[in-house]
């Protein structure tokens, strides 16, 4: 059996190695148009930032190492320019010599990936504008930074790659501004959780111009200006475009393969395309979202690797199935970490789901053990069924292991109330006897048993409602340092003795710093016959969101560079 694979990196290279492990006699040829067959795509921003210092460290495998270990022919700088399903062959151009030849196959696997989106805007062809998608892109940016020593950069786009590169350029000493049309960075996060990310970026000197539409670019001797629709230009020594990627599917389209959303390649759960003996994996294919079941594009390395393995199994006669992508992601933000899995509240509501959330601020490990740091967790679940839908965490130590536990729980189809049952490892340097994931489960269980809560979206209405009581249960010192106007202050430890100060017959809406003391106060009030609601998130959460909102409105009004 002869297998031709178009494209290496995550999906193609994984499939090639897996096929060899399953079939020692198969002839396997991989055509890759770049000069690199398997490289650490996700590490590219960190090479630019000197965290990864050697080019060789980006290369996971070479054509020589693949041949030596797997006897797989890796043809770099070879571009497949046409597929001929009727003849079961492909046309290939040698990009070094320019020669074109035809290669037959028994099975064909497409792993073309995705390409960076280039907007059709004036000045976009400037030599001072870069994209970051391939190793060659990385070297171009690195060479420009090394040779020209830019003092400033404008990042157009605030997705994962854009934010990672912004951090790395900032660490090199550049003044960095991120410009983008959406009002927040990192769309997998809800706007309230993104507030912590925005504040962290600003804290480390990165300017944010959110909600700003780019209309073009103007190069001059001193650098390049990013022109905005409703504001003054933002000037920098270089510009990086990171506004997203689109599937590389022209080859598939020309061959007559069925396409899906945004031109992606349609595949079934065995990674088979609409034409027999042709398979596809990676960033170019349409998948099902594992939580919603909706058609999705999720260009991540983890799913691409899994798909490559499944395609290899199918090609070799196995029956592996791909059950969808969950979108689990994590990102380093200077000394902070942000992670997400499943769907957020915004996407859940757009999907027509009836949802609720719990927000908590636990310590990374036992409070009495030195060095613990607070993280903020938001867990999204479906009302009535309590099906676990998604989670977001922003913090420092321990974010990665909590998001992975929650990702596993979602994959297993657990209910949010089941999180309380998980038997998780505990020792004071690593966790608490009640792990943050368990705590989220306890909170959801309380709601399932009738505990009432209120959310930040309810605040404006509550401040205008004279039929309710607004109560802050923090200490007087905390209250003086910052509070929401309209709230009265009774510390939780004094509530029983001062209960006559709480008007009878009115619902009480409570808040404290993190949600714990107000929860205790809620239980006290319920026990005394009051209708009480606890605030999801606490004043710390409210303050972070309001700070971000204020800075977004004043730092770059209408996208203007101050």
């Amino acid at each position: 059996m002869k297998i031709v694979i178009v494209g290496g990196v995550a999906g193609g290279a994984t499939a090639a190695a897996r096929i060899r492990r399953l079939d020692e006699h198969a002839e396997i040829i991989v055509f890759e148009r770049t000069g690199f067959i398997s490289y650490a795509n996700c590490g590219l921003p960190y090479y630019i930032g000197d965290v990864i210092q050697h080019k060789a460290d980006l290369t996971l495998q070479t054509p020589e190492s693949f041949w030596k270990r797997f006897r797989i022919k890796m043809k770099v700088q070879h571009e497949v320019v046409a597929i001929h399903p009727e003849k079961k062959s492909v046309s290939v151009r040698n990009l070094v010599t320019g020669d074109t030849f035809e290669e037959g196959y028994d099975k064909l696997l497409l792993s073309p990936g995705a390409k960076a989106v280039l907007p059709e805007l004036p000045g976009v062809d400037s030599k001072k504008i870069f994209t970051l998608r391939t190793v060659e892109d990385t070297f171009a940016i690195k060479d420009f930074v090394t040779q020209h020593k830019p003092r400033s950069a404008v990042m157009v786009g605030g997705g994962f790659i854009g934010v990672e590169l912004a951090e790395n350029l900032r660490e090199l000493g550049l003044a960095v501004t991120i410009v983008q049309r959406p009002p927040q960075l990192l769309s997998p996060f809800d706007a309230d959780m993104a507030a912590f990310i925005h504040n962290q970026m600003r804290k480390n000197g990165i300017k944010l111009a959110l909600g700003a539409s780019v209309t073009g670019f103007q190069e001059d001797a001193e650098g390049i200006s990013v022109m905005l629709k409703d504001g003054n230009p933002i000037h920098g020594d270089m510009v990086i475009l990171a506004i997203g990627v689109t599937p590389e599917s022209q080859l598939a389209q020309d061959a007559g393969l069925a396409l899906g959303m945004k031109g992606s390649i349609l595949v079934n759960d065995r990674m088979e395309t609409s034409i027999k003996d042709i398979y596809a994996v990676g960033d170019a294919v349409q998948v099902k979202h594992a939580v919603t079941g909706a058609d999705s594009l999720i260009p991540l390395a983890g799913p691409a690797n899994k798909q490559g393995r499944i395609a290899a199994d199918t090609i070799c006669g196995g029956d592996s199935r791909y059950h969808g992508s969950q979108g689990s992601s994590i990102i380093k933000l200077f000394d902070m970490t942000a992670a997400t899995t499943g769907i957020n509240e915004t996407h859940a509501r757009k999907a027509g789901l009836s949802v609720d959330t719990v927000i908590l601020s636990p310590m990374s490990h036992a409070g009495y053990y030195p060095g613990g740091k607070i993280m903020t967790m938001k867990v999204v679940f479906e009302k009535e069924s309590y099906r676990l839908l998604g989670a977001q965490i922003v913090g420092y130590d321990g974010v990665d292991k909590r998001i992975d536990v929650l990702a596993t729980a979602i994959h297993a189809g657990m209910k949010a109330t089941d999180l309380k049952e998980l038997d998780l490892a505990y020792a004071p340097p690593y966790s608490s006897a009640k792990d943050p994931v368990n705590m989220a489960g306890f909170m959801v269980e309380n709601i399932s048993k009738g505990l009432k809560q209120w959310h930040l979206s309810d605040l404006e209405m509550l401040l205008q409602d004279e039929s309710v009581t607004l109560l802050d249960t923090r200490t007087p010192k905390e209250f003086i340092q910052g509070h929401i106007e309209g709230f009265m202050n009774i510390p939780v430890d004094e509530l029983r003795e001062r209960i006559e100060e709480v008007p009878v017959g009115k619902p009480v809406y409570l808040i404290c710093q993190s949600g714990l003391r107000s929860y205790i106060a809620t239980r006290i009030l319920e026990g005394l016959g009051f209708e009480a609601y606890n605030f999801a998130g606490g004043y710390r959460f409210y303050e972070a969101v309001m700070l971000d909102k204020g800075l977004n409105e004043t730092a770059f009004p209408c996208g203007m560079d101050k």
Side-chain angles (χ1 to χ4, degrees), residues 461-469 506:
M461 178 185 66
L462 291 174
L463 291 174
Q464 300 172 3
D465 190 348
E466 296 181 356
S467 67
V468 303
T469 299
K506 288 185 177 183

Side-chain angles (χ1 to χ4, degrees), residues 251-546:
L251 193 64
Q253 181 179 345
D254 293 343
L257 272 69
L259 302 181
M261 59 191 305
K262 296 184 179 179
S264 57
I265 304 171
L266 278 181
V267 293
N268 61 18
D269 59 359
R270 302 181 74 220
M271 312 316 297
E272 296 169 320
T273 70
S274 60
I275 296 181
K276 183 177 172 57
D277 294 327
I278 301 181
Y279 308 80
V281 300
D283 296 354
V285 305
Q286 177 178 295
V287 298
K288 295 291 184 183
H289 197 287
V291 176
T292 66
D295 294 333
S296 303
L297 296 177
I298 303 180
L300 295 172
N305 274 282
K306 295 180 184 72
Q307 292 160 15
R309 180 183 176 91
I310 290 167
D313 288 353
T314 304
I315 288 170
C316 294
D319 191 30
S320 296
R321 306 278 175 162
Y322 188 67
H323 299 295
S325 298
Q326 201 167 295
S328 300
S329 306
I330 191 166
I331 186 170
K332 174 182 175 294
L333 305 162
F334 297 94
D335 61 341
M336 181 181 275
T337 300
T340 179
T341 187
I343 57 173
N344 62 27
E345 181 184 7
T346 304
H347 293 159
R349 295 189 185 281
K350 285 182 179 179
L353 297 173
S354 178
V355 301
D356 202 352
T357 65
V358 292
I359 300 169
L360 58 158
S361 301
M363 294 285 285
S364 56
H365 60 242
Y368 60 84
Y369 188 89
K373 294 185 177 181
I374 292 175
M375 66 179 72
T376 302
M377 296 175 59
K378 181 175 184 177
V379 177
V380 184
F381 59 93
E382 193 171 29
K383 290 182 179 179
E384 296 184 0
S385 73
Y386 292 94
R387 179 167 67 109
L388 187 59
L389 299 175
Q392 302 153 63
I393 311 177
V394 180
Y396 301 87
D397 297 337
V399 168
D400 53 345
K401 71 175 182 178
R402 272 62 185 231
I403 204 69
D404 283 343
V405 170
L406 289 161
T408 303
I410 293 171
H411 180 78
M414 293 176 61
K415 294 182 178 182
T417 48
D418 294 333
L419 297 176
K420 69 182 189 300
E421 304 289 353
L422 293 176
D423 192 350
L424 304 174
Y426 159 61
Y430 303 103
S431 184
S432 300
K434 296 177 182 178
D435 187 86
V437 175
N438 294 136
M439 290 301 302
F442 294 144
M443 292 172 69
V444 178
E445 182 188 41
N446 286 338
I447 292 170
S448 72
K449 293 184 176 180
L451 184 75
K452 300 178 179 67
Q453 62 175 352
W454 64 281
H455 297 276
L456 189 55
S457 58
D458 301 319
L459 180 59
E460 184 176 353
M461 178 185 66
L462 291 174
L463 291 174
Q464 300 172 3
D465 190 348
E466 296 181 356
S467 67
V468 303
T469 299
L470 306 177
L471 178 59
D472 190 320
T473 62
R474 295 176 297 158
T475 65
K477 182 179 179 181
E478 290 174 300
F479 188 78
I480 291 172
Q481 289 175 341
H483 62 271
I484 304 172
E485 291 297 327
F487 277 73
M488 62 186 296
N489 178 222
I490 303 177
V492 63
D493 294 337
E494 301 175 13
L495 182 57
R496 292 181 181 89
E497 288 72 29
R498 297 173 58 182
I499 195 65
E500 72 281 353
E501 297 178 34
V502 182
V504 176
K506 288 185 177 183
V508 185
Y509 289 78
L510 299 101
I511 192 172
C512 72
Q513 190 67 14
S514 68
L516 176 58
R517 284 173 287 176
S518 54
Y519 162 66
I520 294 170
T522 298
R523 290 300 199 190
I524 293 172
L525 289 170
E526 286 179 337
L528 296 174
F530 288 84
E531 181 183 350
Y533 297 78
N534 188 26
F535 178 58
Y539 187 80
R540 173 181 174 273
F541 181 79
Y542 162 83
E543 190 174 42
V545 175
M546 291 299 105

Side-chain angles (χ1 to χ4, degrees), residues 53-350:
Q53 297 187 346
H54 304 291
K55 289 182 179 180
D57 292 337
L58 294 173
T59 305
L60 304 178
Q61 293 281 356
T62 64
E64 294 75 21
S65 67
F66 249 101
W67 175 255
K68 186 174 182 179
R69 176 158 296 181
F70 299 111
R71 294 301 187 268
I72 294 172
K73 298 176 184 177
M74 292 286 188
K75 299 290 187 179
V76 296
Q77 295 183 321
H78 281 68
E79 182 179 13
V80 174
V81 294
I83 302 170
H84 312 291
E86 70 286 351
K87 296 191 295 181
K88 300 193 77 170
S89 69
V90 295
S91 295
V92 186
R93 179 181 296 119
N94 184 323
L95 298 179
V96 177
T97 65
D99 296 336
T100 300
F101 60 93
E102 201 163 302
E103 190 78 47
Y105 65 82
D106 295 311
K107 306 284 186 179
L108 176 65
L109 174 62
L110 305 179
S111 180
K115 60 184 177 181
V117 173
L118 282 176
E120 296 182 2
L121 294 174
V124 75
D125 57 347
S126 167
K127 298 297 183 182
K128 295 178 181 178
I129 296 178
F130 302 85
T131 60
L132 180 58
R133 183 65 186 172
T134 66
V135 174
E136 286 85 352
D137 294 338
T138 306
F139 294 161
I141 296 173
K142 184 69 171 178
D143 290 345
F144 185 89
V145 170
T146 302
Q147 295 170 14
H148 298 279
K149 295 180 170 47
R151 293 173 297 175
S152 60
V154 181
M155 183 72 56
V156 180
F160 283 84
I161 290 294
V163 170
E164 287 174 338
L165 185 52
E167 175 193 345
N168 278 275
L169 292 175
R170 182 67 188 137
E171 294 281 33
L172 290 176
L174 278 72
V176 180
T177 302
I178 299 177
V179 183
Q180 70 164 19
R181 184 183 301 169
Q184 69 167 80
L185 303 177
L186 304 178
S187 62
F189 293 83
D190 284 314
D192 49 14
M193 294 297 288
F196 292 91
I197 295 169
H198 297 168
N199 295 336
Q200 172 75 350
M201 300 299 279
R202 294 188 183 101
K203 173 186 171 184
N204 285 276
I206 293 179
K207 294 181 179 180
L208 304 180
L210 306 176
S213 296
V214 176
T215 59
F217 308 91
Q218 288 187 2
E219 183 178 343
D220 56 43
E222 297 181 353
I224 186 167
S225 293
V226 178
M227 315 305 292
L228 303 180
K229 181 179 180 181
D230 296 308
N232 297 328
I234 300 177
H235 192 271
D237 295 326
M238 64 186 302
V239 169
I240 295 100
L241 297 178
I243 58 177
V245 295
T246 186
E248 281 268 28
S249 58
Q250 189 63 51
L251 193 64
Q253 181 179 345
D254 293 343
L257 272 69
L259 302 181
M261 59 191 305
K262 296 184 179 179
S264 57
I265 304 171
L266 278 181
V267 293
N268 61 18
D269 59 359
R270 302 181 74 220
M271 312 316 297
E272 296 169 320
T273 70
S274 60
I275 296 181
K276 183 177 172 57
D277 294 327
I278 301 181
Y279 308 80
V281 300
D283 296 354
V285 305
Q286 177 178 295
V287 298
K288 295 291 184 183
H289 197 287
V291 176
T292 66
D295 294 333
S296 303
L297 296 177
I298 303 180
L300 295 172
N305 274 282
K306 295 180 184 72
Q307 292 160 15
R309 180 183 176 91
I310 290 167
D313 288 353
T314 304
I315 288 170
C316 294
D319 191 30
S320 296
R321 306 278 175 162
Y322 188 67
H323 299 295
S325 298
Q326 201 167 295
S328 300
S329 306
I330 191 166
I331 186 170
K332 174 182 175 294
L333 305 162
F334 297 94
D335 61 341
M336 181 181 275
T337 300
T340 179
T341 187
I343 57 173
N344 62 27
E345 181 184 7
T346 304
H347 293 159
R349 295 189 185 281
K350 285 182 179 179

